[in-house]
Amino acid sequence: MVSSEGGWPKKLVTQNQPNRYLLLKYNDCDLWLGFCLPLTILARLRSKWSTYLNPSHPSSDSAIKMKLTLSLFLITGSLFTVANASLRGTAGANANMMATVEKNEVECRVTVNTMMEEVGSGPSARLHEVVCLPINENGVETDGVFPIVLPKEVIEEHKKAIHSGRLYLKIRGAAHVEDESLTVADDAEFDVYGSDEETLPNHLRRLEQGRKLQAKTGTRTIAVVRIKTADNKVTQWSASQLEKGLFGNGVNSDGITFANQYKLCSDGKLTLKLKEPVIEIKLTKNLNQYTVDSMQIEVQKTIKQARGIGSLTQLADNTMFIMPEGMGFTASAPVNHWRSSYHNLWGLSLAGTMHELGHNLGLGHAWEDNAAYQDYSGYMAAGGTATNEPQTCFNGFNMNALGWFNDKTTSINTAKIGKNTAELYKVSAFVDYDRAKTYEPVLLNINNAEFVLQYNRKSRHNIGTREKGNLLTVTEAEPKGQAASNMIRGLDVGQEMARNSRQGQRMVIKVCKKVSGNGSSPDALIVSVGNNADACNREWKPPVDEGNSFVLNMAVTETAPRTTAI
């Protein structure tokens, strides 16, 4: 969950970029006794309470002491003095502490770490932590992933960049110990460089350019790490089952695996390859002495020391941590990052592994009805632990972001269509990409991804889509600016939707008819896109071949039939 509690942001007016922000604490508030004190203490208690009362946390034995201390605060009235003393301390491996630290500077790439916590019999408590990925003095991003509290103003101004892992900043008043901790002072200042490459210092620009070169196509190598604690707690999946279930013929020998599903969904554009046999490591402490974060840190340190490498990015393009039973979460992954982690059976969950690597590749959650995880047409919603279902892919907005079908994507600028005018398109089912011609696109990209249209055919490797099967799906960017997708609607033949576009015109999308394919041609929908009009009273015509080029013969109508806005 994005959090800015514990501080009130003030933007410092400076003449030069980057923008500088100050995270203000209680001593900057005039309404100390009436307003700031209670909020500051509650914010600190909430962040610490969830840590210290967690049975798996190494400091859980201090919970009784903390409760007693809190009672004494209220009885004696010495709330400020005692709370301030009891809640300060040395920075832990998984905490952004409100400590006074030496005025060091730490540069970060900021992203979101997504996590599903396990409650009862299934996943719940979906968390989005804002995290710092520290950058060392050589301009290299280190392996640490540390939650931080940013000023609210920074989060609001740079929400999309944060949620896509593209915000860079410098913390003035922080201490970073590589592979150990990040400590941020109460009065830390944040120099925000932003996400535009042109605003970045040279060393960060090179880092961003190199990071963007990480391919979503071609071959990506994957390392799988099976983790055992000192008391022999380990996932129920054996190393051979993990290899077979992720990259082989499937746990059930049905050919349904994480790697094969990515190959099918991308039509062979992305291949995932196991870099080496599953790595098995044994940690030095018992299970109940670890949090998820502290286990991740020790695993990373252990592997780097054993292999003599400076970063796990030298191990493979992406690394999967398969954690023991009893860690209390389902799966997690930072957006635009190399690491993903899975609790026990989730290590072979088809939905879980597809979802978390999707985050690594830059995808956000699939929204619908103003809520995350609710678009079940693809993998960026919630899922279960089944090893071979659901067989589905990603919604249109995410498919467009992944770029697998760029050669069969038609871009539409509604400003060029004309008033009371519409055009027809033959939209092929994306599962039939291999059968579609270039003039039979699998995606319609309207107004630079303001809307993305996809035929969500319930067939082949999308047979398990859980929502809006066999409909034309209309997706957009999540309207709250979190770099995620939002499902607007699914349309069947004869159905339409109207929406005001960024071009200032009333855009109408209507499904005119279905076209059945065969072994050499795709299943498709004839779709009308226009301004206050539709063209369904005309016939779609294939393009005219003029030498080596095609001229699209679009049907156009100048009349504006009745439409229903949604």
Side-chain angles (χ1 to χ4, degrees):
M1 180 179 294
V2 175
S3 173
S4 62
E5 60 265 21
W8 289 263
K10 178 185 292 183
K11 185 172 180 178
L12 303 183
V13 179
T14 58
Q15 293 182 341
N16 300 317
Q17 290 286 349
N19 289 328
R20 182 172 295 177
Y21 300 81
L22 179 62
L23 190 62
L24 300 181
K25 298 300 173 185
Y26 51 82
N27 52 352
D28 295 291
C29 187
D30 294 330
L31 302 178
W32 166 239
L33 288 175
F35 180 67
C36 291
L37 170 62
L39 287 183
T40 302
I41 297 302
L42 285 174
R44 292 183 180 184
L45 285 177
R46 189 172 83 168
S47 63
K48 298 302 173 192
W49 209 257
S50 62
T51 299
Y52 286 108
L53 298 186
N54 183 346
S56 66
H57 193 274
S59 302
S60 61
D61 291 340
S62 64
I64 297 176
K65 180 180 178 181
M66 193 171 186
K67 290 179 179 178
L68 177 59
T69 303
L70 178 59
S71 299
L72 288 173
F73 293 165
L74 301 176
I75 295 172
T76 65
S78 302
L79 189 60
F80 162 55
T81 304
V82 184
N84 191 45
S86 64
L87 289 178
R88 291 181 183 273
T90 304
N94 65 336
N96 181 144
M97 308 291 284
M98 303 303 176
T100 300
V101 299
E102 187 178 344
K103 294 292 184 179
N104 294 327
E105 296 179 351
V106 177
E107 288 184 319
C108 300
R109 180 165 71 89
V110 180
T111 187
V112 171
N113 185 40
T114 68
M115 179 180 288
M116 291 277 287
E117 289 190 331
E118 198 166 26
V119 177
S121 60
S124 184
R126 296 143 185 162
L127 303 179
H128 297 74
E129 289 183 315
V130 178
V131 293
C132 164
L133 313 176
I135 299 164
N136 66 21
E137 62 276 8
N138 298 318
V140 177
E141 187 174 294
T142 61
D143 288 349
V145 179
F146 300 104
I148 58 171
V149 175
L150 291 179
K152 182 178 179 180
E153 189 177 354
V154 174
I155 292 174
E156 290 302 316
E157 289 187 14
H158 303 280
K159 185 181 295 183
K160 185 174 181 180
I162 291 171
H163 280 260
S164 58
R166 295 184 295 107
L167 181 69
Y168 290 85
L169 56 78
K170 178 188 291 182
I171 308 174
R172 297 178 183 270
H176 171 226
V177 180
E178 190 163 338
D179 290 329
E180 291 289 347
S181 63
L182 175 68
T183 307
V184 180
D186 278 354
D187 58 350
E189 297 175 5
F190 296 80
D191 291 356
V192 178
Y193 298 113
S195 57
D196 187 343
E197 286 185 23
E198 297 303 315
T199 68
L200 298 178
N202 289 336
H203 68 289
L204 295 181
R205 185 179 301 126
R206 288 192 294 270
L207 178 63
E208 175 66 6
Q209 290 170 345
R211 190 185 64 79
K212 287 170 65 176
L213 292 175
Q214 295 181 13
K216 299 172 184 176
T217 58
T219 299
R220 291 192 70 82
T221 57
I222 309 290
V224 179
V225 182
R226 186 173 182 264
I227 302 165
K228 180 184 290 186
T229 56
D231 51 348
N232 293 318
K233 302 297 183 183
V234 68
T235 176
Q236 295 174 40
W237 298 120
S238 67
S240 61
Q241 286 175 318
L242 289 170
E243 288 189 25
K244 182 180 179 182
L246 292 171
F247 300 94
N249 193 37
V251 173
N252 303 311
S253 299
D254 52 13
I256 302 175
T257 67
F258 153 76
N260 194 47
Q261 194 65 13
Y262 261 104
K263 183 177 181 179
L264 292 171
C265 288
S266 67
D267 199 67
K269 301 291 182 65
L270 177 63
T271 299
L272 303 179
K273 181 180 178 181
L274 183 64
K275 183 69 176 293
E276 59 182 272
V278 170
I279 300 167
E280 299 195 69
I281 66 170
K282 188 168 185 177
L283 302 181
T284 58
K285 293 182 287 190
N286 292 340
L287 180 74
N288 63 5
Q289 295 177 281
Y290 288 105
T291 64
V292 174
D293 290 343
S294 63
M295 181 175 287
Q296 289 168 334
I297 286 176
E298 184 168 337
V299 169
Q300 290 168 188
K301 290 171 62 177
T302 301
I303 293 174
K304 287 193 286 188
Q305 291 170 1
R307 297 293 181 94
I309 56 179
S311 170
L312 261 69
T313 57
Q314 296 172 254
L315 191 66
D317 294 323
N318 292 85
T319 298
M320 305 170 70
F321 291 170
I322 315 300
M323 293 188 168
E325 182 179 9
M327 291 302 293
F329 81 115
T330 60
S332 71
V335 175
N336 262 322
H337 196 251
W338 53 265
R339 187 186 77 192
S340 58
S341 300
Y342 307 87
H343 173 224
N344 193 24
L345 296 178
W346 288 88
L348 280 184
S349 159
L350 183 61
T353 53
M354 294 291 291
H355 180 110
E356 300 305 336
L357 186 64
H359 284 314
N360 286 165
L361 295 175
L363 301 184
H365 288 130
W367 286 61
E368 187 173 3
D369 297 329
N370 297 314
Y373 295 90
Q374 296 306 303
D375 171 16
Y376 286 89
S377 67
Y379 281 120
M380 299 315 291
T385 58
T387 62
N388 59 358
E389 61 180 33
Q391 280 186 276
T392 184
C393 293
F394 301 96
N395 68 26
F397 187 89
N398 287 329
M399 284 292 204
N400 185 66
L402 290 165
W404 294 331
F405 303 146
N406 285 346
D407 58 333
K408 293 181 184 177
T409 297
T410 294
S411 296
I412 301 170
N413 183 346
T414 56
K416 295 183 178 180
I417 293 178
K419 187 177 181 180
N420 295 331
T421 305
E423 295 180 352
L424 287 180
Y425 302 88
K426 183 179 181 181
V427 181
S428 301
F430 75 87
V431 293
D432 290 342
Y433 168 90
D434 56 332
R435 302 170 184 174
K437 296 180 171 59
T438 54
Y439 56 82
E440 299 170 319
V442 297
L443 295 175
L444 293 186
N445 179 341
I446 301 176
N447 299 335
N448 194 25
E450 180 181 8
F451 307 101
V452 180
L453 278 54
Q454 176 176 272
Y455 182 18
N456 190 40
R457 185 81 169 96
K458 191 178 176 73
S459 176
R460 302 176 74 182
H461 46 279
N462 194 46
I463 192 66
T465 184
R466 295 167 288 172
E467 181 181 338
K468 296 179 174 59
N470 300 319
L471 300 180
L472 179 77
T473 57
V474 184
T475 50
E476 64 179 351
E478 189 277 315
K480 295 182 181 180
Q482 298 190 22
S485 66
N486 183 58
M487 174 65 72
I488 301 174
R489 192 172 172 184
L491 300 174
D492 206 344
V493 173
Q495 294 181 331
E496 63 183 38
M497 61 162 277
R499 193 82 171 257
N500 290 330
S501 71
R502 287 198 298 250
Q503 309 293 351
Q505 301 191 64
R506 184 171 176 271
M507 181 189 67
V508 178
I509 300 169
K510 185 172 182 178
V511 179
C512 303
K513 68 177 182 179
K514 286 184 179 178
V515 178
S516 297
N518 53 43
S520 60
S521 64
D523 288 335
L525 299 173
I526 304 301
V527 177
S528 169
V529 178
N531 293 318
N532 205 39
D534 75 66
C536 286
N537 60 339
R538 303 288 184 89
E539 286 295 320
W540 177 85
K541 297 180 181 179
V544 178
D545 188 350
E546 294 187 354
N548 294 323
S549 63
F550 291 102
V551 178
L552 295 183
N553 189 354
M554 300 296 184
V556 177
T557 178
E558 295 295 338
T559 60
R562 291 189 300 273
T563 56
T564 302
I566 60 169

